[in-house]
Amino acid sequence: MNLLLCSINTLKGFYDIAGVEVGQHFYWKIAGFQVHAQVLITSWVVIAILLGSSIVAIRNPQTIPTDGQNFFEYVLEFIRDVSKTQIGEEYGPWVPFIGTMFLFIFVSNWSGALLPWKIIQLPQGELAAPTNDINTTVALALLTSVAYFYAGLSKKGFGYFGKYIQPTPILLPINILEDFTKPLSLSFRLFGNILADELVVVVLVSLVPLVVPIPVMFLGLFTSGIQALIFATLAAAYIGESMEGHH
């Protein structure tokens, strides 16, 4: 009963986190649900960029790659290396998932720094990187959590749950709590880093001339890429861990 209550409270915590708001938002009503319109708009732009890039990459593949094809093949190899390092020899089926996570977060973070979202006026709120909204980071973290459990169950069936009583049944509550807090830590890590970067730039722009924060903005581009890599690496590590069945 205590474990059930603990799990329910954890899930309720995730629901409460989704309601956290920073600043004002522009709302749409879709099928009776209230959503953050600015997040949907910027997410659609990021998805369009990724789809457009994919179409360009596969439109006319060459046996001897050109510069553009070389770049996309390098990105694919990079994602495959991250997946293989963290998951192991069974990494193949998970490359699309890890790659999607990495590319979506990477392009989202860079769009917030490079695209002039501020010049587009909304009735309320303003456009920014999708990862600037905690609902997006929670959704990405929950997707990772679902993939984590799916990987373990598909590999070991219901025997996967035996890991919760290893090396001793006394650790059962701790092991269950650990699995439910993994998405929470992923979400806060990504959201906190993005928010901190934006706050630093805003404060510098308000205190000093524009030319001074520019190096900080370039540093933000670098850290944004690192954040995407960290998220993808941890997601792959969690999936690999569930398939191995040990901590």
Side-chain angles (χ1 to χ4, degrees), residues 1 13 24-25 43 51 64 77 81 88 96-97 102 122 127 138 153 159 167 171 189 246:
M1 180 63 69
Q24 294 183 333
H25 297 281
S43 295
L51 288 177
I64 301 177
E77 286 299 320
D81 287 343
F97 177 79
F102 172 76
L122 297 177
L127 296 177
V138 168
L153 289 172
L171 296 178
R189 181 180 289 109
H246 61 79

Side-chain angles (χ1 to χ4, degrees), residues 119-154:
I119 65 176
I120 302 175
Q121 298 296 321
L122 297 177
Q124 285 184 327
E126 59 184 17
L127 296 177
T131 46
N132 193 41
D133 191 294
I134 195 171
N135 295 280
T136 303
T137 61
V138 168
L140 294 174
L142 288 177
L143 282 174
T144 302
S145 185
V146 170
Y148 170 82
F149 285 107
Y150 173 79
L153 289 172
S154 63

Side-chain angles (χ1 to χ4, degrees), residues 3-133:
L3 292 177
L4 180 61
L5 290 175
C6 180
S7 300
I8 293 174
N9 290 333
T10 304
L11 293 174
K12 183 177 182 298
F14 293 154
Y15 177 81
D16 293 338
I17 290 171
V20 174
E21 295 185 359
V22 178
Q24 294 183 333
H25 297 281
F26 178 43
Y27 294 105
W28 281 346
K29 285 271 190 177
I30 299 178
F33 295 96
Q34 187 170 262
V35 298
H36 293 175
Q38 77 274 10
V39 177
L40 288 180
I41 293 171
T42 52
S43 295
W44 292 337
V45 172
V46 171
I47 292 171
I49 293 173
L50 292 173
L51 288 177
S53 300
S54 300
I55 292 172
V56 171
I58 65 175
R59 183 177 56 182
N60 186 27
Q62 302 291 328
T63 305
I64 301 177
T66 59
D67 292 339
Q69 187 176 337
N70 267 328
F71 173 75
F72 288 111
E73 289 185 1
Y74 171 77
V75 172
L76 176 60
E77 286 299 320
F78 176 77
I79 294 171
R80 290 180 61 187
D81 287 343
V82 171
S83 302
K84 185 175 182 179
T85 300
Q86 300 300 325
I87 298 176
E89 294 302 324
E90 299 179 84
Y91 73 97
W94 294 102
V95 171
F97 177 79
I98 301 302
T100 299
M101 286 291 178
F102 172 76
L103 292 174
F104 180 81
I105 296 172
F106 184 88
V107 177
S108 295
N109 291 350
W110 274 47
S111 71
L114 297 178
L115 297 182
W117 295 117
K118 308 289 185 185
I119 65 176
I120 302 175
Q121 298 296 321
L122 297 177
Q124 285 184 327
E126 59 184 17
L127 296 177
T131 46
N132 193 41
D133 191 294

